[in-house]
Amino acid sequence: MTDAPDAPDTSTEPWRRLNPRMLLVHPLRELIRYLPVLLIALIAGAAGGEPWWAYVLSGLGVVFGILRFFTTTFRITPTHVQVKSGVLGRRTLSAPRDRIRSVDVDSTLLHRLFGLAVVKVGTGASHGQDELELNAVALSEVPALRAELLRLAATEDTDDDGTARAPANLSGWQPRWVRYAPLTLSGVASIVVVAAAALQLNFFEGGILTRLPVVQQGIGWVAHLPLLTTALWGAGGLIVIASLVAMARYALSYGGFAIHRARPTTLHIAHGLLRARQVTLDETRLRGVLLSEPLSLRAAGAASAHAIMTGLGRQRGGVALIAPPGPRDEALRIAAEVLGTSEPLDVPLIEHGPRAHRRRYTRAATFAGVLAFAALVLQLLGIVGPLVWWAFAVIVPASALIAEDRWRGLGHALQPGWLIARSGSLNRRRAVLATDGIIGWTIRRSFFQRRAGLATLIATTAAGRHRVVIPDLPDSQVWPIIEAISLRHEELSPGQYLARYAAAV
């Protein structure tokens, strides 16, 4: 994607405006964006302040939202997609059509109320370039626009009687999978965001929240409770609220999750209740899959899966969700469906040896030692009492268990055409990467790794910021992996390929 407002233009294609209904969407969206500012104004008014600047900022936001319609135009030429935008500073974004890798359709609740959607064109741009976005397009025009951008064939699959055949839904998503949501950290993350926003809000007008009568009464009531009671009720309330928030977010984000293979090399992913999202991916850009199994989900036999793709841009990190948190067997099935084979997902992994095993426990002991030193310092300063040492009755065994789990999850394997790597405990990931998608290697050795005869091997890809990391690999296995994958580009049979790798190791 290029940003060239002064580039010569020889195309005769006319410039088009976006849907005029965006004159209603953008001002309302700007008002929603300034809701925190308006909230400050309302609270400040209740507390005796007059933040007139809040109303001025909100009004300017509405004006700029209206001006965006009159200053935004686009066109699709035989070779490029171009968008002109900007109120104060004009600019033209141009993307070659042969570089388009994906088309995302995002329709928030506000957009859906007016029958609109945001179409985002993915070209694999890096180095911080802006993405090409058409905001907003009528929902009825989205399928034709998406087909035109991706140059899909206009024909449809038909039955014997000539009627159009709907593509099969590859996903087996079920509403009852919402039970896995509390095992993710989405609820806790939402609470942290709200708490941070409340703390920032409290800085305005000299502690605007703590001056409200209802907040002062609540603080006074909590202050009279015993410390242990407050801690238990607070922890219980946090768990309940975080679980409810996580379940609500899961249902709204992944409701109706579906994957269709619109064409032999095209995946179409759709999900979302209030905010509908659609992603169309070119499978010729598929470079592998990533199976994510955080500790909490793994304990419940659950996992999620992502496709490793080129052309998704830096914001996505080169991965696209193909299976939301759900049963592990379902995530494996979808990953195998996308890959076209299940063998790399089931192959046994090669262990990294006793030195990597010992390093897992060394790092766990180091973590516990740092906490013990911090506890000692705090006790000497009189901040905490001797009871703090009882916490290590949990910390030490937990560190040892996590170290053992990290060791059990560490491994790699080579299959004809595939590099498989797995690592982690709290967030265990198994990456299956096509060796043809590897564009470079990085070998890292810290001071302690060099002493232990270990190294971290990193396979870099063209899929955004995504890379496959094999940590704590014995030195003797680093170059055999690189050489075996390089040899694979020769005309070797699968048996010769694996035999030469095994001999090298």
Side-chain angles (χ1 to χ4, degrees), residues 260-325:
H260 302 97
R261 185 165 271 118
R263 294 294 186 271
T265 60
T266 303
L267 277 180
H268 182 67
I269 304 171
H271 59 92
L273 296 181
L274 297 181
R275 182 175 185 175
R277 296 183 176 180
Q278 302 177 34
V279 181
T280 304
L281 303 174
D282 182 2
E283 285 191 276
T284 61
R285 303 294 172 177
L286 179 70
R287 294 298 179 263
V289 295
L290 179 67
L291 191 69
S292 180
E293 301 177 273
L295 180 60
S296 54
L297 285 178
R298 197 163 72 249
S304 62
H306 294 76
I308 302 174
M309 307 283 298
T310 61
L312 293 181
R314 295 175 59 85
Q315 292 182 346
R316 291 189 173 202
V319 295
L321 182 70
I322 56 176

Side-chain angles (χ1 to χ4, degrees), residues 436 484-497 500:
D436 291 341
I485 291 177
S486 300
L487 290 173
R488 178 57 184 163
H489 294 293
E490 302 176 5
E491 294 299 327
L492 297 178
S493 67
Q496 292 174 322
Y497 170 68
R500 293 181 70 167

